[in-house]
Every structure is written in structure tokens, then in C-alpha cells.
Amino acid sequence: RTFRVFVSSTFSDLKEERNALQAQVFPELRRLCEQHGARFQPIDLRWGVSEEAGLDQQAMKICLAEIRRCQAVSPRPNFIILLGNRYGWRPLPAGIAAEEFERLQPHLAGEARRQVEDWYALDANALPAVYYLRARTGEWIDPAAWYPLEAKLHAALEAAALAAGLAEADLVKYHASATEQEIIHGAIETMDAGEHIFCFSRETAGIPATAAAGDFLDLAGGVPDASAQAALQDLKTRLRRVL
């Protein structure tokens, strides 16, 4: 018997908690499981996704695949959620079905359209065909160069997806953070989630609304990102209903 449990959280604001789990909690759970002829396997991909996978734009794909693997190996429990005051990184979709991509194109214009078409390449051999996000090479390996471009691509695609009238299920990959996408797959869309999935939500009061708080708040232009905070509160509200 194996208890394979995925830990979903944002990164910079919950480092101490995840370090404590790794150092103090998980070893005890391993010993407890071994005493009963079982195995305990915690999956925390904030450490587990390699730099190469990140540059290949595969991080989100790997995370969702690991959630499915945990669900297959351990029907319950298989998922733990840690949330603070950050909504977290919003990844670009690693792949967009060709039919959907073509619905977005009329709603992209000028430099935004050129950049999106430069970064998404058609794989006509896939069935159905898919536009895949290119790997980061050359100057784009440097995060300082990539992150501003990533933000522009993200904003353009999200606006185009909304303008194209995509269904809510299809919109998720354009606007949701990596953590929310994990939670949707690992908890919100899971049968009987309230019986075996736990969410630990930490609310920290008095965080300064300045760039110095970047590890604990989502910032846009050095000030708190209101849209990220709204998305986080909506996510917590949905989790309370499910759990």
C-alpha cells in the first residue's frame, strides 16, 4: 500500500512551512507507514521540477500529471493544500488546440499577435493539431528577460480568450495561477473531496503594501495586485464550499 500525497502551495510565502513538513512531519509519516507495511511518498514539485523542464515550458504539464498519478496510486488521501496571501505564478498554456488557437487569432492585433505567433508553433502531427509554447533558449533563459515578455503574452492571450467567448472550463488555463490549476484538478473537481482532502489557509495581517512584501503578496508594478487578490479570495471561497 502506498500513500502518495501531492502538496500544492505557492512558493515564496510558504517556504518555511514546506521545509518544516519535509524535515519534521514527513519522516514521521514514513516511519508510521512502514510500521504498518505501507509506504508514504510526499510529492512537492516546488523542488521537483528541473530547470530544464521549466525552460521547456513543461512545469504545469508535469504537475498535473503527478496529481493524476497520486490519484491513481492513492484514492485517498492524495492531496494537501497550503495557502497564504499569494495567488501565485500564472503560467502560459503549454499547448493550445489548433481550433481554439484559431479562435483567438482574430482577437490579437499588432505586436501582441506577432509575439504570440512567434512563441506558439503548430504541431500538425498531433491528433488533433496543437500549438505548443516554444522552449526558452538564448536570451530568454535569463528570467529578467523572460518574465516581462511572459506577462505580455499572458495578458494578450487572456484578453483574446475572453473576447472569443471560450467556455469557462477552457478559460482556466489562460487566467488561473499554477496553484489554482493544481487545486482544480486535485480538489475542486474531485469526488468526495471533503472526506479526504485538507486545506490549511494562513491569513497574515499587516503585510506592508510595498515591493518589500513581494514574497508574501502578488505585486504589479511594485504595488499589490488587486486582480490576484480577488482571484485568491474566490479560490478560497470555492474551496470552503467543496471541503
Side-chain angles (χ1 to χ4, degrees):
R1 294 174 299 167
T2 299
F3 295 96
R4 199 169 196 276
V5 181
F6 190 98
V7 181
S8 178
S9 78
T10 46
F11 183 64
S12 61
D13 57 332
L14 289 156
K15 283 186 290 191
E16 296 300 328
E17 287 79 358
R18 290 194 344 272
N19 286 340
L21 287 174
Q22 292 283 354
Q24 300 170 36
V25 179
F26 293 160
E28 290 296 320
L29 287 173
R30 284 193 185 94
R31 281 192 285 272
L32 178 63
C33 286
E34 286 169 3
Q35 288 169 12
H36 295 274
R39 292 187 301 167
F40 177 72
Q41 294 180 346
I43 308 300
D44 186 342
L45 292 184
R46 294 301 180 272
W47 284 287
V49 176
S50 69
E51 182 179 353
E52 289 79 7
L55 294 175
D56 285 344
Q57 315 279 18
Q58 297 298 305
M60 199 70 243
K61 180 180 177 181
I62 292 170
C63 288
L64 298 183
E66 285 297 328
I67 291 170
R68 289 191 293 271
R69 187 176 171 197
C70 289
Q71 291 168 333
V73 170
S74 307
R76 60 181 64 186
N78 54 41
F79 201 73
I80 297 172
I81 304 164
L82 307 178
L83 287 175
N85 293 72
R86 290 189 78 242
Y87 182 57
W89 170 57
R90 303 189 199 201
L92 290 166
I96 303 173
E99 181 181 358
E100 186 170 293
F101 190 87
E102 286 153 13
R103 287 180 62 187
L104 302 182
Q105 284 175 309
H107 304 285
L108 296 164
E111 183 183 22
R113 179 164 181 160
R114 179 187 62 77
Q115 289 176 329
V116 168
E117 291 178 347
D118 280 350
W119 276 93
Y120 280 87
L122 177 63
D123 180 1
N125 291 321
L127 293 175
V130 177
Y131 281 84
Y132 284 112
L133 182 59
R134 295 181 187 275
R136 289 162 53 197
T137 58
E139 64 179 302
W140 305 112
I141 292 175
D142 181 0
W146 170 246
Y147 289 152
L149 175 60
E150 181 184 45
K152 289 180 183 178
L153 291 168
H154 197 280
L157 284 169
E158 183 177 9
L162 287 167
L166 298 187
E168 182 60 34
D170 296 322
L171 283 173
V172 168
K173 62 180 175 291
Y174 297 103
H175 68 74
S177 69
T179 302
E180 178 169 1
Q181 290 184 52
E182 290 173 358
I183 290 170
I184 289 171
H185 285 78
I188 292 175
E189 293 182 348
T190 298
M191 290 288 290
D192 303 322
E195 296 181 12
H196 63 99
I197 290 171
F198 290 85
C199 175
F200 301 90
S201 180
R202 184 197 64 202
E203 298 284 347
T204 305
I207 300 176
T210 67
D215 281 351
F216 294 89
L217 284 177
D218 300 280
L219 301 177
V223 299
D225 184 337
S227 68
Q229 286 303 299
L232 176 61
Q233 292 310 312
D234 176 68
L235 174 61
K236 288 182 177 182
T237 297
R238 285 183 286 142
L239 271 172
R240 289 189 187 99
R241 287 201 299 265
V242 169
L243 303 182

